[in-house]
């Protein structure tokens, strides 16, 4: 379905009406008139309650009224601590509870349409009363002819067309917001694009099946942790059938008290799992609210709802480790550099102010070893600094920070003496050692050599094109060169790039050699040999580049 102009305009009017009503409530809270205009007493259709509505309440109510797309938008915003303060995130997290149930007749028809004969067999043992109803889907419990207990996740009828319409509206609103100075630092168009890809992916249950399968493979035989079994024959793009998992939410302290297990050990197990999945495997649960983690009567920790997955590439994981190291060493400058390396867009002026604020924050922990640093508190303060500078974290990094905060928050609920940092310490050092293993070093050097080789091949031609545009007065450069004409400087750079070709070829050859050649005893001497050859190559490269720049090495006079 393509959203028509008339449908978009009609949706704009609906959104304007909802925001006008809740916007009035927001304004009265802003200026302190909540007692004069008591919306919480049922004014203008607001639900009645004893306490006055807060600004965050009005936002949540507005999103609920606007339907599935906006409910999901609020849920995702609740996982973005770099954009939303903690009290607002807590209010938006309430959107993760119940939504109005879809009538059973529509659900039944959808299961039959999606699964055919298999769907009719499934319907024979299904409970028409939903186990849960969320913004995009509804879940029913069922018993298979084999006696197995399952849950059936059914996409809400009409939700895809509604999402497409709402996304068209959100893209239009983002373009308007991007034109305003106050919104520009948050890049609203990029945020809406990220949200669009997330919600479209979540509507594809085949992708959720793939996420479950991948995570189960990564877990392997990890005792005490698992994911639900998938039933492929009873699943499709809009219906997903999974093993029923009983037990308690991981934050249900009262319920967990009846199980014969140590709450402190459960807290440690959850935290280790979350960190391992992110920093070792590079794939982690991206919707880390406590309702998606359950503990069975047998003491197993089971992860649910794999519609959203976070991914951290090897380079990102390395940068995160370096950021942690900068925090441990109270190095504000290096912490700022690592944040920029991780994709935080920072202007030169912002970078200076950010470095000062980070240095001031980290100075409080200058004497604390890694195992004693209160990670949650540091992260909360770091996110407050990022919000104060109106910066935005890349999506997966923001989700990872939310995962850390959830792990520490749930850990403290289960065990008041819980500390996250001691669990992070061994994982951090293991990952740091792994980063500098011969295989990873060789892979990194190979990738760098290939990048440099491409630069050597394409760089001179690009510089010639720039020079040609300068000749034709098509390009204006504002540059200050002390001793050389601009054209001579460009020629010198091009010559340097050409002469660096042999150096790059040697580095590439050494990298490939380390990857494919493994004679007996290789592990003992490979690092020393490669290091020596690399140093010699770099010295040769510096010599050649110096020659190309007209700066030959000076010879010391004989005495």
């Amino acid at each position: 379905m393509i959203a028509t102009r008339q449908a978009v305009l009609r949706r704009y009017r609906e959104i304007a009406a909802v925001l006008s009503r809740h916007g009035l409530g927001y304004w009265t809270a802003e200026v302190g008139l909540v007692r004069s205009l008591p919306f919480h007493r049922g004014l203008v259709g607001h639900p009645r309650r004893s306490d006055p509505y807060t600004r965050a309440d009005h936002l949540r109510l507005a999103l609920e009224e606007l339907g599935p797309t906006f409910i999901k938008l609020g849920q995702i915003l609740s996982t973005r601590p770099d954009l939303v303060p903690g009290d607002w995130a807590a209010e938006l997290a309430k959107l993760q509870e119940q939504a109005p149930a879809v009538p059973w007749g529509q659900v039944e028809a959808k299961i039959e349409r999606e699964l055919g004969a298999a769907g009719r067999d499934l319907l024979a043992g299904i409970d028409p009363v939903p186990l849960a109803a969320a913004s995009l889907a509804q879940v029913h419990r069922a018993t298979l002819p084999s006696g197995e207990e399952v849950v059936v996740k059914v996409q809400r009828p009409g939700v895809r067309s509604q999402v497409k319409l709402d996304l068209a509206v959100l893209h239009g609103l983002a373009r308007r917001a991007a034109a305003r100075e106050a919104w520009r630092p948050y890049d609203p168009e990029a945020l809406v694009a990220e949200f669009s890809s997330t919600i479209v992916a979540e509507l594809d249950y085949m992708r959720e099946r793939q996420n479950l399968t991948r995570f189960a493979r990564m877990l392997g035989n990890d005792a005490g942790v698992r994911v639900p079994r998938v039933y492929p024959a009873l699943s499709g793009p809009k219906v997903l059938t999974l093993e029923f998992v009983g037990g308690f939410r991981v934050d249900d302290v009262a319920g967990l008290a009846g199980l014969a297990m140590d709450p402190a050990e459960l807290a440690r197990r959850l935290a280790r799992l979350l960190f391992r999945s992110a920093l070792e495997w590079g794939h982690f649960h991206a919707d880390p609210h406590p309702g998606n983690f359950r503990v069975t009567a047998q003491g197993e920790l089971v992860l649910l709802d794999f519609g959203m997955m976070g991914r951290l590439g090897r380079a990102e994981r390395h940068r995160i480790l370096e950021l942690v190291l900068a925090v441990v060493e109270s190095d504000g400058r290096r912490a700022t550099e690592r944040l920029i390396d991780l994709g935080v867009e920072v202007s030169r002026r912002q970078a200076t102010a950010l470095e000062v604020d980070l240095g001031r924050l980290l100075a409080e922990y200058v004497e604390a070893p890694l195992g004693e640093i209160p990670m949650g508190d540091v992260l909360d303060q770091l996110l407050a600094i990022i919000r104060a500078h109106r910066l935005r974290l890349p999506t997966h990094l923001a989700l990872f920070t939310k995962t850390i905060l959830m792990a520490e928050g749930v850990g403290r609920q289960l065990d008041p003496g819980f500390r996250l940092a001691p669990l992070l310490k061994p994982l951090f050092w293991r990952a740091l050692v792994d980063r500098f293993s011969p295989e990873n070093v060789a892979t990194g050097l190979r990738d760098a050599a290939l990048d440099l080789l491409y630069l050597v091949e394409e760089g001179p031609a690009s510089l010639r094109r720039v020079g040609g545009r300068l000749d034709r007065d098509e390009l204006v450069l504002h540059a200050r060169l002390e001793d050389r004409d601009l054209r001579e400087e460009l020629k010198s750079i091009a010559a340097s790039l050409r002469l660096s070709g042999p150096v790059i070829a040697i580095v590439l050859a050494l990298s490939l050699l380390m990857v494919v050649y493994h004679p007996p005893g290789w592990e003992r001497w490979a690092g020393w040999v490669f290091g020596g050859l690399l140093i010699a190559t770099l010295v040769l490269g510096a010599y050649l580049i110096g020659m190309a720049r007209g700066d030959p090495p000076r010879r010391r006079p004989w005495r």
Side-chain angles (χ1 to χ4, degrees):
M1 166 189 166
I2 299 176
T4 64
R5 179 177 176 81
Q6 291 76 13
V8 170
L9 290 175
R10 185 164 55 250
R11 186 58 169 156
Y12 268 125
R13 286 194 290 270
E14 293 172 359
I15 292 171
V18 172
L19 294 183
S20 294
R21 180 165 63 257
H22 291 285
L24 177 61
Y26 175 97
W27 180 80
T28 59
E30 184 75 14
V31 297
L33 296 177
V34 290
R35 298 297 177 186
S36 302
L37 293 172
F39 288 89
H40 57 294
R41 300 299 185 191
L43 187 65
V44 201
H46 286 62
R48 294 178 64 87
R49 70 183 208 185
S50 57
D51 298 325
Y53 286 108
T54 65
R55 292 176 295 170
D57 285 326
H58 283 292
L59 176 60
R60 176 181 57 80
L61 291 170
L63 294 175
E64 284 179 347
E65 194 169 339
L66 288 171
T69 310
F70 290 87
I71 290 173
K72 194 65 191 177
L73 177 62
Q75 291 173 348
I76 291 178
L77 284 174
S78 75
T79 68
R80 292 297 302 264
D82 57 320
L83 299 176
V84 180
D87 54 339
W88 288 68
E91 188 63 34
L92 292 175
K94 296 177 183 177
L95 292 165
Q96 291 162 341
E97 304 300 331
Q98 294 290 325
V102 176
W104 168 243
Q106 297 181 34
V107 175
E108 184 180 28
K110 184 147 202 163
I111 293 175
E112 280 200 58
R113 186 167 58 251
E114 291 295 319
L115 301 181
R120 288 189 289 274
D121 292 340
L122 181 62
L123 288 168
I126 199 168
D127 184 351
V129 179
L131 189 64
S135 58
L136 302 180
Q138 190 159 295
V139 178
H140 290 260
R141 190 168 177 176
T143 303
L144 300 181
S146 63
E148 295 170 277
E149 297 288 327
V150 298
V151 292
V152 185
K153 181 178 178 181
V154 184
Q155 198 167 106
R156 297 177 78 96
V159 73
R160 291 196 178 206
S161 58
Q162 183 64 55
V163 165
K164 288 181 180 178
L165 174 60
D166 287 342
L167 289 178
V169 171
L170 285 171
H171 280 293
L173 293 174
R175 284 193 295 272
R176 288 170 172 80
R180 296 179 177 272
E181 185 65 32
W183 285 92
R184 201 168 296 152
Y186 300 106
D187 196 356
E189 290 182 282
L191 286 173
V192 170
E194 290 173 3
F195 171 65
S196 299
S197 62
T198 298
I199 193 170
V200 169
E202 195 162 350
L203 289 171
D204 183 0
Y205 292 170
M206 301 297 286
R207 184 172 298 190
E208 183 169 353
R209 277 178 54 189
Q210 293 171 359
N211 291 337
L212 273 162
T213 302
R214 180 187 295 114
F215 207 85
R217 187 170 58 250
M218 291 188 300
L219 281 172
N221 297 320
D222 194 334
V225 182
R226 65 182 182 89
V227 298
R229 175 188 171 191
V230 183
Y231 292 79
L234 299 175
S235 300
K238 299 178 183 178
V239 176
L240 182 64
T241 302
L242 303 170
E243 165 197 2
F244 172 75
V245 178
F248 303 94
R249 285 169 53 120
V250 74
D251 63 343
D252 185 354
V253 179
L256 294 174
L259 302 180
M261 63 183 309
D262 180 7
E265 173 54 32
L266 175 61
R268 290 191 293 269
R269 190 194 310 172
L270 174 63
R272 279 194 296 264
L273 170 66
L274 294 174
F275 277 116
R276 281 191 66 203
S277 61
L279 295 180
E280 289 189 9
W281 306 333
H283 293 267
F284 62 97
H285 200 296
D287 192 10
H289 67 86
N292 282 335
F293 300 85
R294 298 189 75 82
V295 182
T296 68
Q298 294 74 33
E300 293 179 307
L301 179 62
V302 184
L303 283 69
L304 308 176
D305 193 355
F306 282 78
M308 289 173 57
M309 288 291 287
R311 292 174 178 82
L312 293 172
R314 186 184 66 224
E316 290 175 304
R317 299 199 298 272
H318 292 167
R319 295 293 179 268
I320 289 173
L321 294 171
E322 292 169 2
L323 176 59
V324 173
L325 189 59
V327 170
V328 172
E329 295 178 349
S330 300
D331 190 334
R333 179 189 60 79
R334 195 143 51 90
T336 302
E337 291 174 352
R338 293 296 81 79
L339 284 172
I340 294 172
D341 291 341
L342 283 163
V344 179
E345 296 185 3
V346 182
S347 68
R348 181 176 299 179
R349 182 178 302 175
Q350 284 177 311
T352 302
L354 180 62
E355 182 179 328
V356 171
D357 286 346
L358 288 178
R360 187 179 299 117
L361 165 63
L362 300 180
E364 300 178 22
Y365 308 99
V366 69
E367 298 296 336
L370 176 61
E372 297 179 10
I373 293 178
M375 298 300 295
D377 295 342
V378 173
L379 195 53
D380 273 332
Q381 295 176 73
L382 174 62
L383 291 168
I385 290 173
I386 287 174
R387 288 194 298 269
H389 288 277
R390 301 172 72 188
L391 302 175
R392 182 172 64 90
L393 295 177
T395 303
H396 291 146
L397 182 59
L399 293 174
F400 178 58
T401 61
K402 176 66 176 180
T403 299
I404 296 174
L405 293 172
M406 193 279 288
E408 184 153 80
V410 173
R412 286 179 177 172
Q413 283 183 271
L414 295 171
D415 175 18
F418 176 80
R419 294 182 69 86
L420 193 60
L423 300 177
L424 177 61
K425 186 176 179 179
L427 178 64
F428 169 75
W429 288 116
R430 187 163 65 248
L432 197 62
V433 169
D434 179 67
R435 180 188 173 179
F436 293 105
S437 67
E439 293 80 6
N440 282 335
V441 170
T443 302
L445 288 171
R446 180 198 60 199
D447 294 344
L450 289 172
D451 290 340
L452 286 171
L453 188 60
Y454 175 80
L455 178 63
V456 169
E457 292 175 345
E458 300 296 327
S462 299
L463 289 172
R464 281 196 299 272
R465 286 193 292 270
V466 172
R469 294 187 65 184
L470 285 171
D471 286 338
R472 296 189 298 272
D473 293 329
E474 295 176 356
L475 183 67
V476 178
L477 294 178
H478 297 281
R480 185 177 65 187
L481 299 174
E482 299 294 336
D483 302 317
R484 299 184 180 185
D485 178 75
L486 177 60
R487 184 172 299 178
E488 292 301 317
E489 182 72 12
L490 291 174
K491 288 180 179 178
S492 175
I493 294 171
S496 300
L497 289 171
R498 284 196 298 272
L499 287 173
S500 62
V503 177
I504 295 170
I506 295 172
V507 173
L508 180 59
L510 289 172
S511 302
L512 295 174
L513 179 65
M514 290 193 71
V515 173
V516 302
Y517 184 55
H518 300 282
W522 167 258
E523 293 80 5
R524 293 193 301 273
W525 52 266
W528 293 101
V529 172
F530 184 83
L533 291 173
L534 180 61
I535 291 171
T537 303
L538 294 176
V539 170
L540 174 61
Y543 175 81
L544 291 174
I545 293 172
M547 292 292 291
R549 294 174 59 89
D551 299 326
R554 297 178 181 178
R555 296 185 179 181
R556 295 180 60 185
W558 292 97
R559 294 188 181 274

